[in-house]
Structures are given as C-alpha cells and as structure tokens.
Amino acid sequence: FTGALFFCLMASWILVPVWFTRVGIFHSVCELFCIFIALTAFVIIWYTYEQNTPVNLLLGVGFLVVAGFDIFHVYYFINPQPNPLRAYNLSDWYWLGGRLMEAVLIFAVTIKALRFRIGKYYMLIGAIGFTLAMILFIASYSSHLPLLVVEGQGFTEIMMALELLITSIFLVTLVRLTPRINDRDLLTYRYIFFALLFSVPCELCFTLIIGPVGYFNILGHLLKVMSYYCLFRGIVLSALTYPYVRQERASDYLERVLNNLPEGIITYSRNSTVTFANQRALRLLGCELRELIGLSAQEVVTMFSRVELGEIGWNPESKRNLIEITNRRGERIKLKMDTGNLQDDGLICRLDEAKLEQEIINLQLQTQTILNSINNLVVMVDIHHRVVMCNTLWEEKIEMPSSLVVGTDIKRLSALLQSSEHDMTRQTLQGHKLTREVSLTTFTGKRLELRCDSAPILNVDGEIIGAIFICSDITEIRKQQIISQQQEKLAVLGEMAAGIVHEIRNPLTTVKGFMQLISAQTEDEICREYADLVQMEVDEVNQVVSDFLAFARPRKPSLKETSLNQLIRAVGSFWKGQLSLRGIQLEVSLLEDERPVRIDPGQIKQVLMNMVKNAVDALDAAETPRIRLAVGYDPLNQLMTVTVADNGIGMDEEGLCKLGTPFYSTKDRGTGLGMGISYQIVKEHHGTIMVESQPGKGTTFIISLPAA
C-alpha cells in the first residue's frame, strides 16, 4: 500500500504539465480503466453465479450499476456541447452517483446478516432498471439540479456535503472491516480494505479541486484507479482463485483426517480403479501409495500371494468380508473388510486387522456354549424386541431352528407360538424382573407349560440394552398335578360312597318292595301308574348308589393279556352304525407292532364306551363332526396308549379342573360319575388318563396302560 501510494504521488507530480494540455484524454483513460474493471468484475460474478456467495453476487451486480454511472460521467465530460455548463454538471452528478453507489455497496458487504440469495436474472433486471431510472431521472431534471462546481471557485457547498458523506461511508466501512482484514470466508477482505485506504484520500483530493486540472485532480483519479484495481483483485481472488484454494485445503484436511483414522481406507473410482489409500491401509498391505494409485481392483488382488474368503473389488452392494492375505512384506494377516458405495462417485473399502472381530466372534461362541449347557430354555432379545440368541434346548422344545428364531421380533414369535404372555418383554425392557407361567404351542402342535424368569440386560453404563428369559419346562409337573387332583377326587368319592351307600340301599330295597306289592294288588290305574313311576326313580337312585359302591369297593379286575387293537375294533364296530346315522365320521388307527397289555377287557371297554359317548355328546354343534380312536406305543416308558379325540366344543381351564368331580356334568341328565369311574378303573390297572382340550377345538383323552 505504501509503495502504491508513493507511486501515485510521484506520478501525479510528473503528469501535471501533460494533464493540463490533455485533460480530456487522461481523464477518460482513468475513468474507462475503472469502467473496464467494474464490468469485468460483473462478468466474472455473472458466469460463476451459482458457485458464489450472496456477498460476491451483490458486489458483481452492484459494479454493473457503478459502471453505468461512470459511463455517462465520461460521456458528458468529453462531449460538453451544445451546453458545456449543463454537460459538466451532469457529468459531476453521475460521478457522485457512481461514487455514492460504490460506497453503499462496499458498506453492504460488511453486514453479516447478508445471506439471502436472489435469482440471477431477477438481480440483473433489477440492477439495470435501477441504473436506467436514476440516469434518466438525473438527465430529465438536470436543469433543476444545483451546480456542483463553480468555475474559478471550486466545489459548491452541496458538492462538499456529498463528498463528505461519501468519505464518511468509506471511513465507517474501513473501521468495520479492520477486525476482518485477514478473513476469507466470503471475500478476500484484505484487498477490500486496501481499496478503502485508496478511496478515502481519493475523496479528500476531490474536495480540494478548484478546476478540472491540477495536482489533486490527477492524484484523485490515480487513487481511484488503484482503488478499483484492489476491488477487482479481491473479487477475482474471492470468486475464482479462493474456491480452488479452499477446495485444495479441504482435500488436504480430508486426507489428514483419513490418514489419522485407526482403520485402513481405500477408495475406488467409478471405473473401479484406486484413487486413494490412507497410511493405515498402506501399512496393512505393506506397499506405497504410488504402487496402488490407478490400479484396477483385479490388479490390486494380484499384488498379494493369497486372498481368501472375499476379494477387494467393485461391488455395487455393501458387503462385509473376512479376508486372509500375504502382504508385500511377506506377512500373513487376516483382515476385516467393509465395502460400500459413495453414491455415483465410486466405492470405499475399510480394512482392519480381524483380531477384534475374531475376539467378538469367540466371545459369542463362548456365550452360546454356556447357554447350550444350561438345562433351561434361554432366549435373549435386544432393545428393539428382536431375538439375538437362543440355546439348543429352546430350539428342541419349540421345534424351530435358531436360524429362523434369531432376528425375529419376539412379538411375532409369540404370536406364531400362540403364547399366553404378550406383555412380558415390554415390562422387562422397562427394567422389571418378572416370574410368570407361560403357555405356548410348538410348531408340531405340542402344548408346553413354562415357568419363565426374565431380567433386563445392562451395559457398562447401566443402560438397558436387552432382556434375557430363562424358562423351565413344567409341562410334566402340571400333568402330574392334574393326576394328583384326579386321585384326590377319587379318594373323596370313595369316602363318600363308603359312608352312605349302605345307609341308602336298604331303605331303597324296602321302598321298591312295597311299590311292587302296591302295583300288583291295586286295581286303581292311577295308583299303579304312580307306583311304577316310584320304582323307576328308585332304580335310578340305586344306579347312583351302585356307582358310588364301585368307587368304595371296586370290583377286582380280572387281568389277562389283551390286544388293544381288538378292543378298539370291537368298540368301533359297536359305535359305527350309530355314528353313521348321526353324520359323525369315525377314524380308527391301529398299531401294527403292538404290545399286549394285562387288563380286564370288560372294565377298559366300559371306560372307552363312556369316553366315546361323551365325545358324541360334544359334537352336536360341530360342522364336520369327527371322532378318532388310535392305538400307540411309548417305548421310553413301555406304555401302550389309547387315544379318544373329537373336534367338538372342548373344555376351558375350569372344566378341565372339575373333570371327575362327583356330580359335575355338562349334560342335562348326567350324574357326573362316569369320568370318575373311568379314572378309578384305569387307576386299578396302574394306568393314567391325560386330557388335552381347548374351547372350540375339541378334546383328546389319552389312556396309558403298562405293556405286558
């Protein structure tokens, strides 16, 4: 700045005599140079409009307005005819308009709030319209405009006031720019600052002008040229040079960041050639960057003596591999590689040693081994309710492989298994430890009863990241409890029968005898009818008493080896005709390799007949009624089984609990003793009766008897 100022001072002193004789030429050259700079700045900004900031856009279009004022200033200065006084006054007004516009424009760029962007052509039309409007206004009212310069006297008071206003704006802008002189966020503020340093003395020189010639006039024009040159250079650096510098800095910064990453990075172009590799990748591969740049993916692969489990190459879809290589240093290492797209710009590969990956895999294997060794069903879910791990016992019990279980939403899995618990996972993930009994159905239709304990899983910061469920299979325990309940019911029946059977039977015999005597001797038909009715009721009471007696003193079964296949055939033959008339389908399934059982055929047949009769009564509302009789064998416990199943109305939990209770019956005229007698008979044969039933889905009775 000091050198340029000294040059202007010396050049002004040298040009004084020449300027005096050629004032029009030298004035026009200086002004045209400033106009050229202003228009060039506009053209640069115009063709880089989309890439420029709002501040640069305002400067570029603003200089178009300034150039318009300066053009008319030069025109009227070199063409004063036919009215020289009017022409010179117009020239001065256009001069002041351009300088004032320049001052306001530079001041505007210091406003931080200037962030809005106007459309390219909207701003151009607005600038041209404003310039033409102001030029036409000044030209139209020139006769009314006051004189700015009086020959022989210099500037008028109005001219001095306007020059001081422009100088003040330059000074204020200079002060505002001082803290930001080294900033390059929107503009190269250093050159804008220098332009203002030239503009302030320029305006001061023009305030000292007495005539169109003179030392200060020359100095003012030279300072204006230097001011425009600084503005031009600042715009060029900001709009053209600085974006490339900033891009280069960003590239260097990104490269430094990538080189400091703890994992290797290799990038590929759209043509699958290497464009970059950071220091970590080069250390892992044992090569230099110049050896990789420009190589294709296949050429990179061939640099290593061995690549397994995956290859470094172009893949439009993101993938994850473990690869084993021998690098250029001869070291054999395993790498973890992730590849992913950079949209349309290529591919990025991330490399790192697979030690941590292997440690995680080993930890997962250890955890899985521990879970598999537990004699309980174990399943783990994450915070998003997805199953992340289960043990082999869980797979065996629910009869579903872990590959289908892991990753499945626990709510969906519960729905598939028809689980009775749907809210346990949510409560556990909220931090509650729960213990509940859960019922579910496996994929083969087997019903399981589980005692489930759940607890949240916490990370090192105490945050809940999942939940674990440990379940015990209590299905057999529940079955034994049902058997125990049935035995207790039978004991209650036996005690009741033993206490009252004899007290009832003797009076019944006496009543029946007298009713027979009355019926035989009376001649009154009504009396005889009543006597017969009493005898029928006595017979029904006697039957109930006999059933009680069967519990209290059951007849000792006469055991002999019997074929259950033959017994089932006999029962099926008896019911086949009756069931056919009622539209009930009978399915009989026999066992080819059966084992004989030691039973009393009559008593077991009585049990089967009672169960089939109950099944028939339960099929009244079924659309396609069906009864199935099947013989089976349990080799583990050496038991022969007989299954009586129907698809009738079924029973709920309350009905199952009351099954076998004395006088409990769902039939209108049932005594409620049939199932109790059946339980008693099977118990005398050292067997068991299991019941499975659901409302609307039917009932299944399974009689188990020891094989001979």
Side-chain angles (χ1 to χ4, degrees):
F1 170 76
T2 304
L5 183 60
F6 178 76
F7 169 77
C8 292
L9 292 172
M10 295 301 298
S12 300
W13 181 73
I14 295 172
L15 290 174
V16 167
V18 181
W19 185 282
F20 181 79
T21 59
R22 296 288 187 271
V23 61
I25 296 175
F26 283 101
H27 175 272
S28 299
V29 168
C30 292
E31 291 297 334
L32 288 175
F33 182 80
C34 294
I35 292 170
F36 172 77
I37 290 177
L39 292 177
T40 304
F42 164 73
V43 171
I44 291 173
I45 296 299
W46 177 260
Y47 284 103
T48 58
Y49 194 93
E50 287 75 14
Q51 292 77 34
N52 265 301
T53 62
V55 170
N56 281 344
L57 301 180
L58 179 63
L59 273 178
V61 178
F63 270 102
L64 177 63
V65 178
V66 174
F69 280 100
D70 286 347
I71 288 172
F72 278 85
H73 164 64
V74 173
Y75 172 76
Y76 282 104
F77 187 85
I78 64 176
N79 188 23
Q81 299 300 327
N83 188 346
L85 183 61
R86 177 176 178 272
Y88 285 130
N89 197 46
L90 277 175
S91 177
D92 290 337
W93 275 105
Y94 287 129
W95 158 275
L96 285 177
R99 295 299 284 170
L100 183 61
M101 185 67 194
E102 179 186 345
V104 173
L105 189 65
I106 297 176
F107 176 79
V109 303
T110 65
I111 301 175
K112 293 184 177 181
L114 191 63
R115 293 292 185 269
F116 60 90
R117 180 184 290 268
I118 303 175
K120 184 176 182 180
Y121 290 98
Y122 289 113
M123 184 172 282
L124 177 63
I125 293 171
I128 295 176
F130 173 77
T131 305
L132 293 177
M134 293 303 298
I135 289 172
L136 291 175
F137 175 80
I138 294 174
S140 300
Y141 293 92
S142 60
S143 59
H144 301 284
L145 294 175
L147 293 176
L148 297 177
V149 180
V150 178
E151 187 176 356
Q153 298 180 11
F155 288 154
T156 63
E157 294 180 357
I158 295 176
M159 181 68 168
M160 294 291 290
L162 292 175
E163 286 289 358
L164 288 175
L165 173 62
I166 295 171
T167 304
S168 301
I169 296 175
F170 281 139
L171 287 173
V172 171
T173 308
L174 190 66
V175 173
R176 289 175 60 86
L177 275 181
T178 301
R180 305 172 64 184
I181 188 172
N182 293 316
D183 290 355
R184 294 187 68 178
D185 54 346
L186 300 176
L187 281 172
T188 307
Y189 286 103
R190 179 185 298 273
Y191 287 98
I192 306 299
F193 184 81
F194 288 157
L196 292 173
L197 289 180
F198 285 113
S199 295
V200 171
C202 170
E203 294 302 317
L204 293 176
C205 285
F206 288 130
T207 59
L208 301 176
I209 292 177
I210 299 176
V213 296
Y215 177 77
F216 290 106
N217 196 331
I218 301 171
L219 179 60
H221 281 85
L222 291 179
L223 290 175
K224 180 182 178 182
V225 170
M226 294 302 299
S227 172
Y228 268 69
Y229 172 75
C230 291
L231 287 172
F232 174 76
R233 191 163 183 192
I235 292 174
V236 169
L237 289 176
S238 300
L240 298 180
T241 307
Y242 183 60
Y244 294 101
V245 174
R246 185 168 53 187
Q247 183 178 2
E248 185 177 351
R249 289 179 179 176
S251 179
D252 293 340
Y253 175 77
L254 180 60
E255 184 175 342
R256 289 195 299 271
V257 170
L258 294 177
N259 282 327
N260 283 279
L261 289 177
E263 61 180 359
I265 300 292
I266 299 178
T267 59
Y268 291 88
S269 67
R270 296 182 61 184
N271 299 323
S272 191
T273 58
V274 176
T275 57
F276 175 77
N278 71 347
Q279 294 299 318
R280 175 62 176 169
L282 297 175
R283 285 196 296 269
L284 291 172
L285 301 178
C287 60
E288 299 293 334
L289 180 60
R290 55 183 173 80
E291 300 179 63
L292 294 178
I293 295 296
L295 295 181
S296 67
Q298 188 60 39
E299 289 172 336
V300 173
V301 171
T302 57
M303 291 182 64
F304 307 103
S305 60
R306 180 177 180 178
V307 179
E308 292 182 352
L309 307 176
E311 293 184 350
I312 303 175
W314 177 267
N315 187 347
E317 298 180 359
S318 178
K319 63 180 182 178
R320 187 180 187 88
N321 289 324
L322 289 177
I323 64 174
E324 184 177 286
I325 68 168
T326 301
N327 63 21
R328 297 297 296 276
R329 294 191 298 270
E331 300 171 344
R332 193 169 178 176
I333 58 175
K334 288 184 179 180
L335 299 177
K336 174 189 66 176
M337 183 177 74
D338 296 319
T339 63
N341 284 335
L342 296 175
Q343 295 183 351
D344 296 330
D345 297 325
L347 178 77
I348 183 170
C349 294
R350 296 182 297 172
L351 300 173
D352 203 359
E353 290 188 83
K355 292 180 180 179
L356 180 60
E357 189 85 5
Q358 289 177 319
E359 290 176 359
I360 294 174
I361 294 174
N362 292 336
L363 181 60
Q364 291 176 337
L365 291 175
Q366 293 171 7
T367 304
Q368 187 67 57
T369 303
I370 294 172
L371 294 182
N372 291 340
S373 65
I374 298 176
N375 292 326
N376 295 94
L377 291 77
V378 180
V379 63
M380 299 170 62
V381 301
D382 60 16
I383 194 64
H384 303 294
H385 297 226
R386 290 191 299 265
V387 178
V388 294
M389 191 173 290
C390 64
N391 64 350
T392 53
L393 187 60
W394 173 273
E395 298 179 59
E396 294 172 3
K397 288 293 184 180
I398 70 170
E399 300 168 337
M400 185 177 181
S402 61
S403 59
L404 298 179
V405 175
V406 174
T408 304
D409 191 289
I410 192 66
K411 296 179 181 178
R412 182 172 180 271
L413 185 62
S414 298
L416 290 174
L417 298 177
Q418 302 177 27
S419 173
S420 60
E421 181 55 58
H422 302 288
D423 199 40
M424 194 171 183
T425 303
R426 182 182 61 81
Q427 294 185 38
T428 304
L429 290 175
Q430 290 177 350
H432 302 288
K433 294 183 178 180
L434 304 174
T435 299
R436 293 182 182 175
E437 291 188 4
V438 179
S439 300
L440 55 85
T441 304
T442 68
F443 278 85
T444 59
K446 186 186 298 182
R447 194 69 180 171
L448 293 180
E449 299 290 335
L450 304 176
R451 183 182 183 275
C452 189
D453 297 291
S454 67
I457 301 174
L458 308 179
N459 62 12
V460 293
D461 297 322
E463 300 171 342
I464 297 176
I465 59 173
I468 184 171
F469 300 86
I470 302 177
C471 306
S472 303
D473 187 359
I474 59 172
T475 306
E476 292 300 324
I477 296 176
R478 288 289 173 264
K479 289 180 179 179
Q480 294 301 323
Q481 288 178 346
I482 293 174
I483 293 173
S484 176
Q485 291 174 0
Q486 296 297 340
Q487 290 174 345
E488 291 176 1
K489 294 174 186 178
L490 295 177
V492 172
L493 285 173
E495 292 176 2
M496 292 174 63
I500 65 175
V501 67
H502 293 291
E503 299 298 331
I504 295 177
R505 220 167 190 188
N506 290 333
L508 287 179
T509 303
T510 303
V511 171
K512 186 174 181 179
F514 278 107
M515 288 302 101
Q516 289 174 345
L517 181 62
I518 292 172
S519 179
Q521 293 184 0
T522 185
E523 295 180 357
D524 189 345
E525 290 297 329
I526 295 177
C527 186
R528 186 181 292 112
E529 182 180 350
Y530 287 165
D532 293 339
L533 181 60
V534 171
Q535 289 184 66
M536 290 175 59
E537 296 298 329
V538 168
D539 288 338
E540 288 188 10
V541 174
N542 191 50
Q543 181 62 45
V544 174
V545 172
S546 298
D547 290 341
F548 270 122
L549 188 61
F551 281 103
R553 295 178 182 176
R555 179 177 65 83
K556 201 72 175 175
S558 177
L559 303 178
K560 63 178 181 179
E561 288 192 1
T562 305
S563 169
L564 288 180
N565 281 347
Q566 294 180 359
L567 194 62
I568 290 298
R569 285 195 190 97
V571 173
S573 298
F574 177 83
W575 283 101
K576 186 174 182 180
Q578 300 182 48
L579 296 180
S580 179
L581 292 174
R582 302 183 63 168
I584 300 174
Q585 180 184 354
L586 178 64
E587 299 176 1
V588 178
S589 177
L590 305 178
L591 186 65
E592 294 183 1
D593 188 18
E594 72 164 329
R595 300 286 185 90
V597 290
R598 290 183 58 79
I599 60 172
D600 185 323
Q603 290 186 349
I604 297 301
K605 185 176 181 180
Q606 177 186 352
V607 172
L608 294 174
M609 296 290 281
N610 180 59
M611 289 184 177
V612 173
K613 184 177 181 301
N614 290 340
V616 171
D617 294 337
L619 290 170
D620 291 339
E623 294 182 1
T624 56
R626 183 176 63 254
I627 296 176
R628 183 171 65 90
L629 302 177
V631 180
Y633 177 62
D634 180 4
L636 183 63
N637 299 307
Q638 296 186 350
L639 296 173
M640 290 295 294
T641 62
V642 178
T643 301
V644 180
D646 65 75
N647 62 341
I649 59 175
M651 291 180 286
D652 55 16
E653 293 292 336
E654 182 181 359
L656 286 174
C657 293
K658 292 183 177 180
L659 190 64
T661 302
F663 304 110
Y664 173 75
S665 176
T666 58
K667 304 175 187 178
D668 294 337
R669 295 185 61 81
T671 62
L673 296 172
M675 283 306 300
I677 295 172
S678 298
Y679 276 112
Q680 180 69 17
I681 291 174
V682 174
K683 178 184 176 183
E684 290 294 327
H685 285 78
H686 305 289
T688 60
I689 298 178
M690 294 301 299
V691 187
E692 296 177 359
S693 183
Q694 292 185 29
K697 295 185 178 181
T699 304
T700 300
F701 288 92
I702 302 175
I703 304 171
S704 300
L705 298 169

